[in-house]
Amino acid sequence: MVAARITVNGKETPLSPSAPHVTALDFLRDRGLTGSKEGCAEGECGACSIMVARPGTDKPTDWVPINACLVPAAALDGQEVVTSEGLATAGEAGAPPELHPVQREMAMRGGSQCGYCTPGFVCSMAAEYYRPDRCAHAQPDGAGVQPAGQDGAGVPQNGAQAQGGGDGEHGPNGFDLHALSGNLCRCTGYRPIRDAAFAVGAPQEDDPLARRREQAPPEPVATEYTRDDSAFLRPADLPRALRLLRERPEAVVVAGSTDWGVEVNIRSRRAECVVAIDRLPEMRELRTEGDHLEIGAALTLTEIERLLEGTVDGGVPLLAELFPQFASRLIRNGATLGGNLGTGSPIGDSPPVLLALEASLVLSDADGERVVPLAEYFTGYRQSVRRPDELIRAVRIPLPLSPVTAFHKIAKRRFDDISSVAVAVALDIREGVVRRARIGLGGVAATPIRALAAEAALEGERWTAATVESAAEILGSQGTPMSDHRASAEYRAAMLGQSLRKLYAQTNEAVPS
């Protein structure tokens, strides 16, 4: 077994002597790369952002930003990482490094004050800068603003010039501001950061990180990293992973580590054995098979979002509504459906949606597979029918999809927040009659649930205000909501009924006949 090592800013760096639980953030900072900071240790502030070379959608490699505070350094064995220090290019002999275009725009447009969050912003912004299809969505005249020179020429005085041609969330240069949804700043304010984002042009032909996209990313490597009586293991394929779990049922299974990383940082949890399944090829496929869509449980949410655009005609609208509201782009770059379902959280965002889609889970063990409807998967608070030696290999969604759908997430913030209540609705309405209704709920019981009584109240009835009002009253009584710091039980119950009324108002009876 080759010694574990990570390529950091072009230089191979051995993982030893770091312990298996050490995060990528601490690993980098211990080696003098202190641009990445720890702000929240929960993946909510983005001060720790770094870029990783991952399989691309439009090119062989994408530069993908992730939260270094959550992922174990051992999970990056054999991979390529770029930190904020690695973005600048070396100058001539004796000259200081030349700033990366993103760094230069941040500096010239006043996007940094104390500087604590800046390296994280820069890494997230650089990943969006290198997104292959970004410039394809730019305005015909390019970036809309010329990049600021060293003398500050071209810097807008009030931000209006940088916004020209955009829609507020997408710049005239094709920059999607949601790429920064996981990065927080508490002293500069966001306008100059947005100005910098909307001012960057296209990468130059001699840009080494742009050229790197043309070659494939490193192949996943099998990892056996053991130190201080604990181990981080990445099996080479699914059969070996399943045999390992049978031998060590106490092992903690991780993919993006967006949940386990919080346990390690905030609750100081340690595991004798961590098994990584994020790069298993058998769990990273998305395909349509006759009457269902199968989504590999180890695909990240970002990968699913982009693969669906080219795999399923019209995509999956309910998932398309979910993804922008699921944490932040940084989290979605690591989080998986398998992980979100595996934790069994009653406030996870994906279970209500998948319940409304009537999804089933493919559970694999060393002896074979079984398919379990998601509605029968959860058995109690953070409990399920899945055995310790089983993995969620894939999620299956039956086809065709219901044409009328909605996902309503009630939370204190629009993005990057935990749900107080989540409601997903999928309706088949023909000739004004509800032929089929499926409603998934989160945050109102010990498990995600189907609103069976409300579904029954809709099915066979005309899609009218009276029908909706009657079903909304029933929906408001579903589950056993509790009061906590996020919302009262009364508020949660009220929001259930309101979600159905909102859907009716949005459709305004303009449904397929």
Side-chain angles (χ1 to χ4, degrees):
M1 183 66 63
V2 178
R5 57 185 60 246
I6 307 169
T7 300
V8 181
N9 298 332
K11 179 181 178 181
E12 281 201 348
T13 307
L15 185 60
S16 180
S18 299
H21 71 269
V22 167
T23 64
L25 173 64
D26 288 339
F27 168 81
L28 294 168
R29 292 183 63 81
D30 287 346
R31 284 151 182 80
L33 297 170
T34 55
S36 297
K37 308 292 196 301
E38 180 179 293
C40 65
E42 296 182 281
E44 292 189 355
C45 75
C48 63
S49 303
I50 58 174
M51 298 197 309
V52 182
R54 291 276 170 82
T57 50
D58 296 305
K59 288 185 178 291
T61 288
D62 280 347
W63 286 113
V64 176
I66 62 171
N67 293 112
C69 75
L70 296 179
V71 63
L76 300 176
D77 177 26
Q79 298 189 44
E80 290 180 40
V81 169
V82 172
T83 70
S84 58
E85 293 91 342
L87 290 172
T89 54
E92 298 179 1
E98 182 179 342
L99 291 179
H100 186 276
V102 164
Q103 294 171 318
R104 183 170 62 250
E105 295 298 342
M106 282 284 281
M108 299 308 297
R109 297 177 193 276
S112 176
Q113 186 168 316
C114 80
Y116 196 91
C117 70
T118 305
F121 265 101
V122 162
C123 283
S124 293
M125 197 179 296
E128 176 67 5
Y129 174 76
Y130 289 116
R131 178 165 60 87
D133 61 342
R134 173 181 67 85
C135 293
H137 297 106
Q139 298 293 317
D141 60 349
V145 204
Q146 293 300 314
Q150 295 295 339
D151 59 356
V155 179
Q157 298 302 309
N158 57 13
Q161 192 177 2
Q163 297 180 61
D167 63 4
E169 295 184 349
H170 297 81
N173 58 353
F175 194 103
D176 182 358
L177 211 55
H178 289 276
L180 306 181
S181 63
N183 296 85
L184 300 181
C185 173
R186 284 294 176 261
C187 59
T188 299
Y190 293 99
R191 200 216 70 202
I193 296 173
R194 180 200 59 198
D195 290 348
F198 288 178
V200 293
Q204 299 298 309
E205 291 184 2
D206 61 348
D207 185 320
L209 293 177
R211 291 202 310 268
R212 176 63 186 83
R213 299 175 302 176
E214 305 300 331
Q215 288 80 44
E219 291 289 333
V221 298
T223 301
E224 293 183 13
Y225 185 69
T226 303
R227 192 175 182 85
D228 301 332
D229 299 322
S230 62
F232 182 95
L233 308 175
R234 172 178 279 116
D237 52 40
L238 182 59
R240 274 180 263 198
L242 296 173
R243 288 196 299 270
L244 178 59
L245 290 182
R246 178 157 291 183
E247 296 167 3
R248 305 194 66 166
E250 82 287 355
V252 171
V253 177
V254 300
S257 201
T258 55
D259 186 79
W260 176 247
V262 177
E263 296 292 315
V264 170
N265 291 336
I266 303 301
R267 297 181 177 87
S268 299
R269 288 189 61 187
R270 302 290 182 263
E272 290 185 5
C273 179
V274 171
V275 176
I277 51 86
D278 56 315
R279 311 315 292 171
L280 295 180
E282 301 92 335
M283 297 176 63
R284 290 184 47 77
E285 297 179 352
L286 189 151
R287 58 181 182 268
T288 302
E289 295 187 347
D291 62 351
H292 68 266
L293 169 69
E294 183 166 297
I295 302 174
L299 286 168
T300 69
L301 301 186
T302 294
E303 289 172 327
I304 296 170
E305 181 181 11
R306 292 175 179 169
L307 288 171
L308 280 176
E309 295 176 358
T311 305
V312 180
D313 185 25
V316 180
L318 202 45
L319 287 176
E321 288 188 65
L322 163 69
F323 290 142
Q325 300 180 69
F326 192 112
S328 66
R329 177 61 71 189
L330 283 169
I331 293 295
R332 296 197 296 276
N333 286 341
T336 63
L337 287 181
N340 202 226
L341 296 167
T343 63
S345 171
I347 54 174
D349 284 339
S350 71
V353 168
L354 295 174
L355 283 169
L357 292 171
E358 292 191 279
S360 296
L361 306 184
V362 181
L363 302 180
S364 299
D365 67 12
D367 297 324
E369 292 185 342
R370 59 179 175 137
V371 180
V372 177
L374 183 59
E376 301 172 12
Y377 174 75
F378 300 105
T379 59
Y381 179 72
R382 290 188 178 271
Q383 297 176 336
S384 71
V385 300
R386 182 175 60 86
R387 300 188 304 269
D389 66 339
E390 286 183 307
L391 286 175
I392 302 174
R393 183 184 66 78
V395 176
R396 287 181 179 172
I397 298 173
L399 300 173
L401 302 170
S402 295
V404 180
T405 60
F407 175 63
H408 297 151
K409 175 174 177 172
I410 292 88
K412 293 183 181 299
R413 296 195 303 265
R414 182 183 176 198
F415 297 114
D416 200 7
D417 200 3
I418 295 173
S419 297
S420 299
V421 179
V423 183
V425 184
L427 305 176
D428 183 0
I429 305 174
R430 283 172 286 166
E431 298 178 350
V433 176
V434 181
R435 307 295 181 180
R436 188 178 189 83
R438 295 294 181 264
I439 304 174
L441 306 179
V444 295
T447 68
I449 62 171
R450 279 263 302 274
L452 298 176
E455 292 174 1
L458 288 170
E459 290 185 342
E461 301 294 333
R462 296 197 65 80
W463 182 242
T464 64
T467 298
V468 169
E469 186 58 35
S470 176
E473 289 295 324
I474 295 172
L475 185 56
S477 66
Q478 303 271 260
T480 54
M482 59 180 287
S483 296
D484 59 18
H485 64 284
R486 292 192 183 93
S488 67
E490 294 78 11
Y491 178 79
R492 286 187 162 102
M495 289 302 99
L496 295 180
Q498 284 299 100
S499 68
L500 195 58
R501 297 183 184 99
K502 180 179 180 179
L503 174 59
Y504 179 74
Q506 290 171 334
T507 60
N508 197 27
E509 300 189 36
V511 296
S513 60

